[in-house]
Amino acid sequence: MSTLSTLSADRYSDRELSWLAFNNRVLDLARDAERIPLLERVRFCAIFSSNLDEFFSVRVAGLKRRIETKVAVRTITGKRPSELHDEILELAHELIATQQQLVHQVLLPALDAAEIHLLRWEQLSAVEQSAMSRLFDERLYPVLIPLTVDPAHPFPLVSGLSLNIGLLLRNPETDQQRFARVKVPDIVARFQPLGNGRFVAVEEIIIHNLGQVFTGMHIETVTLFRVTRNEDIEVEEDDANNLLSALEAELASRRKGRTPVRLEVADTIAPQLLDLLMDEFDVGEKEVFRLSEPLDLSALADLHSLKREDLKYPGFLPKTHPHLARVETSNPADMFAALHRRDVLLQHPYDSFATSVQRFIEQAAADPAVLAIKQTLYRTSGDSPIVKALIDAAASGKQVLAVVEVKARFDEQANIDFARMLERHGVHVVYGVVGLKTHCKLCLVVRDEGDELRRYAHIGTGNYNPTTARTYEDFGLLSADLEITEDVARLFNHLSGLSQERGYRRMLVAPESVRTGIIGHIHHEIANKAAGLPARIRIKVNGLVDEAIIDALYEASAASVPVQLWVRGTCALRPGIPGLSENIQVVSIVGRFLEHSRLYWFEDAGRPTVGIGSSDLLHRNLDRRVEVIVMLTDPAKTQQIDELFNLAFHPGTVAWHLKDEQWREVSRDAAGKPLTDMQEYLIEATARRRYEPSENTLMLDIRPLLTELSSEQPGDQS
């Protein structure tokens, strides 16, 4: 067996380059005309752009900050920050060029063929131009703020990721040239409908009516541009007497503008205007991205709302979990009676969030026997029924605690607003542990059942957000188990009362025990293998970067323990290296739903130990967040997760496979037959489910499919 001292020095892949490879997999979906409907491909193209926006504003911004402050620490792959920065920019240019070609040569023509037209101003009819000019006069002109640079007016602040019009103006009386900027407002839809599937971008409307804005001036050249800034939030909590006030001040600082990390411009930009923008934003040539219009392709997601069901995935309605089916026939619905019978393992979006988790919290809020509700909130929707239920519970006299993570990136202001609203309605609001983000997904209900107080809990892998619960794949456990609910109660006491709790029986809790617990399970599998006992490791996460866990997985591979890693995004582990990782498989599944759950499965000599939770295997999760992984003991639930892994790794399933630091999609077998789309199959399997009273029944039994696939797909196609 290898030891850490003998492991190869180049055993890791770079995190940032691996993430770009993930975003390329998203772009692959936009390219897949054979399997994916047109408007879904357009949506994936928009997701690629919004992903890249966040990547630049956080990851690239952090890297640039290290360069500017002359931090000499190399990355885990041995690169200097400046070297990695250059590599990222080069690869980003390649990916964006691919996207540009896809949009302008494939997607827009395909939309045209489907009678959905994104038009330039000159393509509009005279009637349409007149209508859009009226829109400009009535809705846009009154809110535009033209800013001109002259000795009395410095270069204007340009907020990050805003879409802007830049102009060079000349005063015909003085012959002086000036720069002006107009921000494209977001008070109207980005793509304005003209009727009959015809749309025009709002910036086109503004540009062709700028004469009304700069009266008496000669407009020499016009361009569109967009700057990406460092959007991360940094608050020194130890020095902040009031976290909300400190965070709001930091948000104001972010709005005022931080270091630019990327400049996007229209490819028709005049050289003089480009030089001016590069100088003002202090960006180098490599940080400039010249793009065909329209800029900011994340706005293409708006087209998905069109009522063109023929161009989208078939409709899908999540189903009530069979073990909660009787709840629907009760009047009122009784979630607690269902949980008296058994714990319920949910997989969203196949299992309805509304008729499980949301109903659990709403019933707790309305039930006079419930004495207390404790809830973590990391991200939720703008009209959250969860928040409303907590307010209703407090109004009825229940003790309600909300642990609100106001530092959830890009949701900071929304969560501050939620926190203050909850406080106004009598909810006890706390902000977790100083220096840590509270990322775990927990709800605890305390109920007076006459002869005893009984606890009920929900532990999940995803946020309490009914909107994303329809598009994110996540697991959750509803439980009345005494050990689990005691653990959850102890953790809430730690979060609200700052106890030094360490004694959890069924949970691993970061930052104290997730890393050590997982490594302990890995070493236990190594020992089992050495003793001739069944041993295997299966992990599903969004990201795998932590070096200590990667090295433990390498040790397991070297000890001949089979390791299967299902990683949606970033993966710094390199599979298939002789003598180090040839027993490790890595797959990624990117599709209709965002694979978001975190699952941990260990063979444990034939009695599998299985956990679900909120923690990825990234440094931030293991060291700077409160995370929870709950261990399951019910054989039916561990079998359900086992079958899911079997399907994901079956050679008959569509997946991306990582080999030699390259991801390769396998979507057809050797004979050219399409492989099974796992998510589409699970939709169909969910629709076929029926209620079974047996606690040992596997509710989503995919074994028949696996048998069918095995007969059709001999051998490993990966």
Side-chain angles (χ1 to χ4, degrees):
M1 182 175 68
S2 297
T3 63
L4 296 183
S5 61
T6 62
L7 293 180
S8 169
D10 62 350
R11 61 190 181 273
Y12 307 120
S13 294
D14 183 83
R15 169 181 179 157
E16 318 303 351
L17 300 180
S18 179
W19 185 92
L20 286 171
F22 154 69
N23 210 28
N24 187 43
R25 297 197 290 280
V26 175
L27 194 59
D28 275 339
L29 298 177
R31 291 191 282 254
D32 192 344
E34 184 175 3
R35 294 191 302 124
I36 300 177
L38 177 58
L39 283 180
E40 306 295 349
R41 295 166 61 204
V42 171
R43 184 174 65 90
F44 283 122
C45 187
I47 291 171
F48 170 88
S49 289
S50 59
N51 284 350
L52 207 58
D53 286 348
E54 182 172 342
F55 176 72
F56 268 89
S57 60
V58 177
R59 300 302 306 177
V60 178
L63 186 62
K64 189 169 182 178
R65 186 168 60 246
R66 290 171 60 189
I67 296 170
E68 292 173 344
T69 55
K70 302 189 185 306
V71 175
V73 177
R74 294 174 180 260
T75 68
I76 63 171
T77 58
K79 294 184 176 71
R80 291 191 298 270
S82 58
E83 292 175 326
L84 179 57
H85 188 237
D86 287 343
E87 281 192 61
I88 288 171
L89 292 176
E90 181 179 357
L91 184 53
H93 275 285
E94 293 175 4
L95 290 175
I96 291 173
T98 300
Q99 183 198 32
Q100 288 278 295
Q101 182 181 35
L102 174 66
V103 168
H104 293 281
Q105 297 184 18
V106 179
L107 293 182
L108 290 181
L111 287 171
D112 283 334
E115 300 300 324
I116 300 172
H117 310 286
L118 298 186
L119 305 172
R120 304 299 298 265
W121 180 265
E122 55 271 16
Q123 295 174 292
L124 307 188
S125 69
V127 172
E128 290 170 334
Q129 289 183 354
S130 178
M132 291 301 100
S133 292
R134 286 197 303 273
L135 174 72
F136 176 84
D137 293 338
E138 296 170 3
R139 298 294 307 277
L140 296 172
Y141 179 76
V143 300
L144 293 182
I145 302 177
L147 298 172
T148 304
V149 177
D150 60 29
H153 300 86
F155 192 88
L157 167 72
V158 178
S159 53
L161 300 179
S162 62
L163 184 61
N164 302 273
I165 301 169
L167 309 91
L168 288 179
L169 305 172
R170 188 170 298 279
N171 187 326
E173 296 181 359
T174 65
D175 202 38
Q176 288 184 320
Q177 189 185 63
R178 300 294 185 201
F179 170 81
R181 171 256 188 169
V182 177
K183 181 179 178 179
V184 177
D186 54 9
I187 60 169
V188 298
R190 174 72 184 283
F191 299 112
Q192 283 297 303
L194 302 164
N196 298 319
R198 294 163 64 82
F199 298 85
V200 62
V202 67
E203 61 267 25
E204 288 273 315
I205 302 170
I206 296 172
I207 287 172
H208 287 85
N209 286 276
L210 283 175
Q212 298 181 52
V213 180
F214 298 99
T215 55
M217 300 292 288
H218 176 62
I219 300 173
E220 294 193 328
T221 184
V222 179
T223 194
L224 291 168
F225 71 93
R226 190 168 178 260
V227 64
T228 308
R229 297 182 182 274
N230 180 350
E231 299 288 341
D232 209 2
I233 291 291
E234 298 176 5
V235 176
E236 294 295 334
E237 297 175 53
D238 293 335
D239 299 330
N241 293 326
N242 186 314
L243 177 60
L244 258 64
S245 297
L247 187 58
E248 285 181 315
E250 187 69 7
L251 285 170
S253 170
R254 183 166 78 180
R255 286 191 290 269
K256 291 177 182 176
R258 290 182 173 179
T259 303
V261 296
R262 178 181 60 164
L263 175 62
E264 297 170 280
V265 298
D267 55 8
T268 56
I269 188 171
Q272 182 184 359
L273 196 48
L274 177 59
D275 290 343
L276 185 151
L277 293 175
M278 290 177 63
D279 183 61
E280 290 293 341
F281 294 126
D282 191 23
V283 295
E285 179 66 29
K286 294 179 181 178
E287 296 172 294
V288 176
F289 292 78
R290 295 171 175 82
L291 309 171
S292 299
E293 298 179 35
L295 271 61
D296 185 14
L297 293 177
S298 64
L300 290 175
D302 295 347
L303 298 178
H304 194 265
S305 63
L306 293 175
K307 296 186 182 302
R308 288 293 303 270
E309 305 311 312
D310 57 315
L311 303 178
K312 301 179 188 179
Y313 286 123
F316 164 64
L317 183 65
K319 306 297 182 182
T320 297
H321 190 285
H323 285 160
L324 300 176
R326 288 181 179 175
V327 172
E328 290 190 311
T329 62
S330 303
N331 189 18
D334 193 350
M335 295 288 293
F336 301 117
L339 297 181
H340 266 294
R341 289 191 289 271
R342 62 176 66 80
D343 290 356
V344 177
L345 182 65
L346 304 159
Q347 187 182 13
H348 310 299
Y350 313 105
D351 294 313
S352 168
F353 182 89
T355 61
S356 57
V357 180
Q358 182 178 324
R359 179 171 286 165
F360 169 69
I361 298 171
E362 289 175 336
Q363 181 181 335
D367 188 345
V370 169
L371 305 179
I373 303 173
K374 301 181 181 183
Q375 176 86 48
T376 63
L377 291 173
Y378 190 76
R379 301 187 198 275
T380 189
S381 57
D383 54 350
S384 170
I386 306 298
V387 171
K388 181 181 183 300
L390 297 179
I391 290 173
D392 291 345
S396 67
K398 296 176 172 60
Q399 291 292 307
V400 182
L401 171 71
V403 183
V404 180
E405 183 45 76
V406 292
K407 302 184 298 298
R409 183 178 291 145
F410 302 120
D411 281 333
E412 300 96 344
Q413 190 60 58
N415 285 8
I416 289 172
D417 295 341
F418 280 134
R420 290 200 161 132
M421 180 173 62
L422 289 166
E423 286 179 321
R424 287 196 303 271
H425 287 85
V427 175
H428 300 288
V429 178
V430 298
Y431 307 108
V433 181
V434 171
L436 302 174
K437 284 186 178 181
T438 303
H439 189 249
C440 51
K441 326 297 182 182
L442 304 173
C443 180
L444 182 71
V445 173
V446 181
R447 191 169 188 263
D448 185 351
E449 301 191 347
D451 55 342
E452 65 174 349
L453 293 184
R454 185 153 185 167
R455 298 187 183 106
Y456 299 84
H458 173 263
I459 302 176
T461 70
N463 297 306
Y464 291 99
N465 187 325
T467 301
T468 58
R470 292 192 289 270
T471 56
Y472 284 27
E473 180 274 342
D474 274 299
F475 273 86
L477 179 70
L478 285 167
S479 176
D481 181 276
L482 295 178
E483 290 185 348
I484 291 175
T485 56
E486 174 69 17
D487 279 354
V488 174
R490 289 178 179 274
L491 180 54
F492 269 113
N493 288 342
H494 173 60
L495 294 174
S496 63
L498 298 183
S499 67
Q500 298 302 307
E501 184 61 57
R502 298 292 188 273
Y504 304 107
R505 301 175 67 180
R506 295 274 296 281
M507 296 193 322
L508 301 177
V509 179
E512 288 85 8
S513 62
V514 170
R515 179 187 284 111
T516 56
I518 290 173
I519 290 176
H521 282 295
I522 293 171
H523 287 162
H524 186 60
E525 294 303 303
I526 295 172
N528 282 342
K529 185 69 176 181
L533 299 172
R536 183 167 48 160
I537 298 166
R538 304 169 119 178
I539 294 174
K540 178 180 186 286
V541 287
N542 298 313
L544 171 58
V545 171
D546 186 73
E547 296 91 338
I549 290 178
I550 290 174
D551 285 347
L553 292 170
Y554 284 150
E555 290 188 34
S557 173
S560 299
V561 176
V563 178
Q564 293 180 320
L565 303 175
W566 180 355
V567 185
R568 186 193 82 222
T570 303
C571 182
L573 179 145
R574 297 176 57 197
I577 300 175
L580 180 67
S581 57
E582 65 261 60
N583 291 308
I584 300 178
Q585 292 177 271
V586 181
V587 302
S588 177
I589 293 175
V590 184
R592 174 175 183 169
F593 304 130
L594 183 81
E595 292 289 332
H596 191 251
S597 64
R598 292 87 165 182
L599 310 175
Y600 298 88
W601 193 99
F602 303 95
E603 184 74 44
D604 202 6
R607 300 178 302 277
T609 297
V610 180
I612 69 169
S614 59
S615 183
D616 288 312
L617 299 181
L618 308 175
H619 302 139
R620 68 186 186 198
N621 300 95
L622 303 175
D623 297 323
R624 301 190 299 277
R625 292 184 173 187
V626 179
E627 306 276 13
V628 165
I629 297 172
V630 62
M631 310 312 287
L632 309 177
T633 57
D634 181 356
K637 294 173 177 54
T638 60
Q639 184 182 3
Q640 179 179 340
I641 293 175
D642 178 42
E643 298 294 346
L644 189 67
F645 274 108
N646 289 343
L647 180 56
F649 281 89
H650 198 282
T653 298
V654 176
W656 277 260
H657 298 256
L658 179 59
K659 288 187 177 181
D660 301 323
E661 296 194 88
Q662 298 294 321
W663 290 93
R664 182 172 65 92
E665 184 188 22
V666 179
S667 59
R668 291 180 173 275
D669 63 13
K673 179 182 177 181
L675 302 184
T676 296
D677 183 302
M678 184 188 73
Q679 294 180 350
E680 294 301 322
Y681 176 80
L682 291 178
I683 289 174
E684 296 171 5
T686 302
R688 294 194 301 267
R689 289 189 311 187
R690 295 292 184 269
Y691 174 76
E692 283 289 345
S694 168
E695 294 190 25
N696 295 320
T697 298
L698 182 63
M699 300 318 304
L700 192 58
D701 192 347
I702 60 178
R703 285 170 292 182
L705 174 68
L706 293 172
T707 301
E708 176 185 338
L709 290 176
S710 296
S711 64
E712 293 181 356
Q713 301 287 336
D716 186 354
Q717 303 295 320
S718 65

